[in-house]
Amino acid sequence: MPEGDTVWQAARRLHEALAGQVLTRSDFRVPQYATVDLTGRTVLGTTPRGKHLLTRFEGGLTLHTHLRMEGAWKVYGGAERWKGGPAHQIRAILGTADRTAVGYRLQVLEFLRTGEEERAVGHLGPDLLGPDWNPDRALANLLADPARPLGEALLDQRNLAGIGNIYKSELCFLIGATPWLPVGALPADRAAKLPALAQRLLEANRDRPVRRTTGLRDQDLFVYGRAPRPCLRCRTSIRVADQGDGSRERPTYWCPACQTGPGPAAGPPRTRRTRTTN
């Protein structure tokens, strides 16, 4: 699942390419919307909400999309070759006189009345990169279930919207707690810093082509994707194990020396190399 900064960048690309322009082509390759034709409508803009994208059109209509693990929106010039994947993976095409936005492998695609967008995104907590960001509310949401593992609480978009698996692992490292530590066991001073730290990381990376959490020139991330290489702080081998609520397990990275708290409940940590982008 993409991080909030990745979705923010996708929204900006769509907005810059389409906002204020009249559609000369629209094509939605999902059965429910195969007959929808937006040709002739003006695109009002695209805004991110957590990991969701809301593209609004005149007439009070919104296209709601979500990238999930493999989705992408690509923007091409008039004669530019489309390179986002094979044609059978295209789910949406929005074209203007100059640019064409192509949605590949979109796992969520639906139309809503603009006034009813809350049906799709109303469950989300404060958006780390949005105008509704509220660190106090985010902290209260995280602490509402004190027995829940910290990593799972951070990934729950109902608590705060925008954190994915990379930031989950990096935030737990920076706060000095394992992802399996119950939220309620996190010292109060560190818990109080967590929402602001998360917001600073996403804010710092929303305009960068390469995500960086370390501040180091030659190392982008502290723990994510680095098992079994040595920790950048203490040289202990970084470990990796799956973490999840039973519906989906995600590779989770941590330093057993720098981070306090329990490890995974069952089985030894696995050595695994994972790409550092998603």
Side-chain angles (χ1 to χ4, degrees):
M1 191 175 290
E3 310 286 331
D5 51 3
T6 299
V7 176
W8 192 92
Q9 292 170 10
R12 181 175 62 181
R13 288 194 300 272
L14 288 172
H15 187 84
E16 291 176 349
L18 302 177
Q21 303 298 311
V22 175
L23 290 180
T24 58
R25 180 181 181 184
S26 78
D27 184 359
F28 302 100
R29 300 180 182 180
V30 294
Q32 186 176 358
Y33 301 111
T35 61
V36 172
D37 184 5
L38 301 183
T39 302
R41 294 204 192 204
T42 298
V43 181
L44 302 182
T46 298
T47 187
R49 180 71 174 86
K51 299 183 181 184
H52 300 251
L53 291 162
L54 302 170
T55 301
R56 300 175 180 129
F57 307 91
E58 67 173 338
L61 192 64
T62 294
L63 173 63
H64 166 226
T65 57
H66 196 298
L67 306 180
R68 294 285 172 88
M69 288 298 293
E70 298 181 348
W73 276 102
K74 303 288 187 179
V75 176
Y76 302 104
E80 190 176 356
R81 181 172 172 266
W82 296 1
K83 315 178 269 197
H88 72 266
Q89 293 182 348
I90 295 174
R91 298 292 177 266
I93 301 171
L94 299 172
T96 69
D98 302 315
R99 313 294 293 278
T100 302
V102 184
Y104 292 90
R105 302 171 297 279
L106 301 175
Q107 298 300 301
V108 174
L109 187 157
E110 65 173 340
F111 282 99
L112 306 165
R113 302 307 304 177
T114 300
E116 298 176 352
E117 289 176 354
E118 287 299 292
R119 287 202 295 113
V121 297
H123 65 288
L124 298 174
D127 186 343
L128 285 151
L129 293 177
D132 69 318
W133 172 242
N134 184 324
D136 294 332
R137 182 180 159 208
L139 180 60
N141 290 346
L142 288 169
L143 296 177
D145 186 356
R148 193 173 192 188
L150 176 60
E152 292 181 22
L154 288 171
L155 281 183
D156 191 334
Q157 303 299 294
R158 296 169 297 181
N159 291 333
L160 65 173
I163 293 177
N165 208 36
I166 296 176
Y167 280 121
K168 176 196 78 172
S169 293
E170 294 295 297
L171 281 165
C172 288
F173 177 82
L174 289 168
I175 212 72
T178 71
W180 292 272
L181 182 75
V183 174
L186 190 64
D189 59 334
R190 282 191 272 173
K193 296 175 183 177
L194 187 54
L197 176 60
Q199 199 273 339
R200 285 201 303 273
L201 283 182
L202 267 73
E203 186 78 27
N205 282 290
R206 70 178 191 177
D207 294 315
R208 290 176 179 167
V210 177
R211 184 177 294 113
R212 180 170 294 169
T213 63
T214 65
L216 303 174
R217 183 172 299 178
D218 57 345
Q219 295 287 348
D220 296 326
L221 303 173
F222 280 110
V223 292
Y224 188 86
R226 298 195 66 252
R229 285 174 284 174
C231 174
L232 297 177
R233 286 182 176 170
C234 74
R235 310 308 291 173
T236 301
S237 291
I238 298 298
R239 297 186 184 181
V240 58
D242 286 334
Q243 182 182 37
D245 59 5
S247 61
R248 179 179 297 172
E249 302 292 323
R250 294 182 173 91
T252 298
Y253 298 83
W254 82 104
C255 172
C258 291
Q259 294 170 253
T260 59
R270 293 182 293 107
T271 297
R272 173 174 173 175
R273 293 186 183 277
T274 298
R275 293 170 56 190
T276 57
T277 58
N278 62 6

